[in-house]
Amino acid sequence: MSVFWRLVLAYYIVAALCYNRTFFAWRARKPLLAAGVQFAAYFGLGAILTWNYLYIPWPLLGLWPLPAVACLAVFALFETANNNMLVYRSGQERHHALTFVVHDVLALLFILLCAPTRVLYETGNLVADPWIIFFVGALVVTKMFNVFIYMVEQDLYGRGYPTIDESFVTMLMRLIFYLIVLLPGWRWVIWFLVWLWACQMARRNRLMDFSRFALYFSAFGATAVGFLTKWSFFLQV
């Protein structure tokens, strides 16, 4: 499953760069150029991260074995089209969160169906690259959770787009929760409670401006992703 996790990492790196209001506005003005940039980013990062696996054929949608480069090009084309169709569009009044979830599920399903499972057959291990999974988890709890929380709150009460300061602070908060879970043994529980209490106090005293939903989803969502990452490291022991 090495190719799967490496393509997922490429997908989330591009998402971290492109999921913002500046890129969406630029894409609206120059859609063809933006599509070309996205295609090149997906293809280039995917090729770099899967360089050692480009010599074997990849199964397109699990059905047709194709040269890896051709399958990678289809992946980049699909993700570019998927972003243009399903990422937040101005004028959309509801279902922002559902749009985001559907977009992500389609992307991950497409990657799963196109990734060769040679390493799985050889090792019997779904998580042959724990450090790749670590970086995937870090991007999920920072940027992807940021976008999801914003879209949920926009659905609930039409909140405005988060400022750069708010985005940075909340992403850092979730990253710390994520890293705390990776501590050995059970000491992470104490630090988790301490950090949760500190975040609650900061919110109550208006030192950090985010909703109660954002706080608790951040805490427990980042913890869940941290557990999955920790599990991937334990499987290598």
Side-chain angles (χ1 to χ4, degrees):
M1 297 294 285
S2 288
V3 173
F4 170 77
W5 288 112
R6 289 165 184 267
L7 288 179
V8 170
L9 179 59
Y11 164 66
Y12 281 131
I13 290 174
V14 178
L17 297 174
C18 295
Y19 285 13
N20 57 73
R21 189 166 49 178
T22 301
F23 182 83
F24 293 157
W26 180 65
R27 189 180 66 186
R29 294 194 307 271
K30 299 182 177 180
L32 292 180
L33 181 57
V37 169
Q38 285 182 291
F39 178 89
Y42 282 122
F43 185 87
L45 273 173
I48 291 170
L49 290 171
T50 61
W51 183 261
N52 292 331
Y53 303 93
L54 294 180
Y55 68 94
I56 59 176
W58 294 7
L60 180 62
L61 298 178
L63 299 174
W64 307 285
L66 292 179
V69 174
C71 202
L72 193 58
V74 176
F75 158 72
L77 183 63
F78 173 82
E79 287 309 322
T80 301
N82 192 22
N83 278 348
N84 284 318
M85 288 187 296
L86 291 175
V87 174
Y88 168 71
R89 295 163 292 184
S90 59
Q92 181 178 343
E93 296 182 357
R94 287 287 182 269
H95 311 304
H96 298 97
L98 179 61
T99 293
F100 175 78
V101 171
V102 170
H103 165 266
D104 233 38
V105 168
L106 287 177
L108 296 177
L109 181 61
F110 188 92
I111 294 172
L112 180 63
L113 292 177
C114 290
T117 55
R118 175 171 178 171
V119 174
L120 177 61
Y121 293 144
E122 291 176 351
T123 66
N125 195 342
L126 288 170
V127 289
D129 291 311
W131 281 105
I132 295 291
I133 297 174
F134 168 80
F135 288 115
V136 168
L139 286 171
V140 168
V141 302
T142 52
K143 182 63 177 181
M144 306 311 289
F145 276 15
N146 219 40
V147 177
F148 178 72
I149 290 170
Y150 158 63
M151 290 187 171
V152 169
E153 293 182 340
Q154 194 174 41
D155 282 340
L156 292 176
Y157 50 85
R159 70 151 294 170
Y161 201 85
T163 64
I164 294 177
D165 290 345
E166 180 187 349
S167 295
F168 176 78
V169 167
T170 53
M171 286 193 292
L172 180 60
M173 175 185 70
R174 287 190 297 274
L175 181 61
I176 292 174
F177 276 121
Y178 176 69
L179 295 176
I180 284 173
V181 179
L182 302 182
L183 292 172
W186 290 98
R187 73 186 68 176
W188 70 268
V189 176
I190 297 174
W191 288 110
F192 171 86
L193 294 175
V194 169
W195 183 237
L196 180 60
W197 174 82
C199 292
Q200 287 174 323
M201 291 299 101
R203 177 181 175 274
R204 183 175 302 172
N205 295 321
R206 308 298 293 178
L207 297 177
M208 294 195 294
D209 187 18
F210 48 81
S211 68
R212 183 178 287 107
F213 167 75
L215 172 61
Y216 289 106
F217 182 86
S218 295
F220 295 103
T223 299
V225 175
F227 265 117
L228 293 176
T229 303
K230 197 172 188 177
W231 174 69
S232 74
F233 277 93
F234 280 143
L235 288 180
Q236 303 306 307
V237 178

